[in-house]
Amino acid sequence: MIEAKKLTKSYGDNLALNNLNIHIGKGEVFALLGQNGAGKTTTINCFLGFVSPTSGDALIDGISVNSHPHESKKALAYIPETVMLYPHLTGVENLAFFSSLAGWKYPEDELRALLLKSGLQEAAHAQRVGSYSKGMRQKVGIAIALAKQAKALFLDEPTSGLDPKASNEFSELLKELSTEGTAILMATHDIFRAREVAHRVGIMKEGQLVSQLSATDLSANELEKLYLKTI
Ligand SMILES: Nc1ncnc2c1ncn2[C@@H]1O[C@H](COP(=O)(O)OP(=O)(O)OP(=O)(O)O)[C@@H](O)[C@H]1O
């Protein structure tokens, strides 16, 4: 579903991403760990079409992002560290707007059902997003992914700045999406959450994926030890 084939990106002499090969199947969650500057965001940006690779290919559902940018984008959703929404619009209105950009039109009761499924309490649906907490905005991000019926979801530091409860709720939502078949690639510094949510964890260093393991192979403590030894 999400596939990188010899994906490489250089900025001048700086090899930000070096020959990345990964395959994330339907319903699989892959967490990318690595220090600042390791190449996690560059990886995600190649899949989103924000960055053109120097060589290699990023594919979503078998479609090359570089050769077919419009087609490949239909199947994906993206949740950044801070979900960008219109503060003067309500949760329902934001969801209606962003899903319409992707060609989806839902009646209000379905939009509300999507927000509820994403964990956003009913009382907030008609409130302006400007008054939402960060966790509530992330939930709207999930609702947008659901509305787009995204087959591939990309997240960059999605739980950064969330309190433990909000972070836990968000992680549970990701698990639910994965059980429904969404392939998920998540860049994070949160080793504990990575271990909890992901099926596989990869550790990046200087643009290279230097370690890949199944999340059940190690405890969170062992994963932290491996991370510190690797980076
Ligand atoms: N637009 C750009 N122009 C030049 N260099 C860039 C650009 N974007 C990223 N880089 C460089 O590419 C390398 C990888 O950066 P990237 O942002 O992918 O790392 P990261 O693992 O996401 O880090 P962080 O955890 O801080 O988000 C770094 O050396 C960075 O300086």
Side-chain angles (χ1 to χ4, degrees):
M1 185 55 66
I2 297 173
E3 194 176 7
K5 285 184 179 170
K6 298 182 180 175
L7 193 62
T8 300
K9 176 68 186 178
S10 312
Y11 292 104
D13 292 340
N14 183 5
L15 201 49
L17 189 59
N18 185 0
N19 199 29
L20 176 74
N21 291 294
I22 44 170
H23 185 277
I24 304 165
K26 198 169 179 255
E28 197 180 7
V29 184
F30 191 103
L32 269 184
L33 299 173
Q35 275 187 302
N36 297 126
K40 305 178 298 295
T41 300
T42 303
T43 303
I44 289 179
N45 284 343
C46 285
F47 282 104
L48 300 176
F50 294 165
V51 159
S52 300
T54 310
S55 61
D57 212 354
L59 301 121
I60 294 167
D61 202 13
I63 303 168
S64 161
V65 173
N66 224 23
S67 325
H68 304 282
H70 187 67
E71 243 184 295
S72 64
K73 276 199 185 98
K74 278 190 199 154
L76 72 82
Y78 170 53
I79 300 184
E81 186 179 337
T82 304
V83 175
M84 300 302 287
L85 301 167
Y86 286 102
H88 58 286
L89 298 181
T90 67
V92 174
E93 288 166 347
N94 268 284
L95 180 57
F97 176 71
F98 285 104
S99 47
S100 74
L101 287 185
W104 296 90
K105 200 169 170 8
Y106 293 97
E108 185 171 333
D109 60 332
E110 282 184 38
L111 294 168
R112 284 176 176 273
L114 288 168
L115 288 170
L116 266 186
K117 189 171 178 196
S118 306
L120 190 74
Q121 67 271 32
E122 205 168 350
H125 293 187
Q127 272 174 24
R128 289 182 182 204
V129 160
S131 67
Y132 280 20
S133 67
K134 186 167 181 171
M136 289 161 82
R137 298 167 70 92
Q138 298 298 86
K139 287 173 182 172
V140 178
I142 291 277
I144 295 169
L146 285 171
K148 287 179 76 177
Q149 303 191 9
K151 293 180 184 169
L153 176 63
F154 296 86
L155 306 111
D156 204 350
E157 316 265 359
T159 55
S160 157
L162 293 186
D163 67 54
K165 184 169 177 282
S167 177
N168 177 272
E169 278 177 17
F170 189 78
S171 303
E172 290 303 317
L173 289 168
L174 290 185
K175 282 188 198 170
E176 230 177 281
L177 276 179
S178 99
T179 58
E180 289 175 14
T182 313
I184 299 176
L185 175 60
M186 169 173 78
T188 182
H189 289 296
D190 190 337
I191 293 175
F192 174 76
R193 289 282 162 221
R195 162 77 183 58
E196 285 292 296
V197 177
H199 299 103
R200 276 190 296 150
V201 177
I203 304 175
M204 290 189 86
K205 183 184 181 181
E206 294 164 4
Q208 272 186 296
L209 187 62
V210 287
S211 193
Q212 256 194 89
L213 52 125
S214 165
T216 50
D217 285 352
L218 297 177
S219 68
N221 269 347
E222 288 166 334
L223 179 58
E224 186 178 49
K225 276 190 193 144
L226 175 69
Y227 174 84
L228 293 172
K229 207 170 82 183
T230 307
I231 53 148

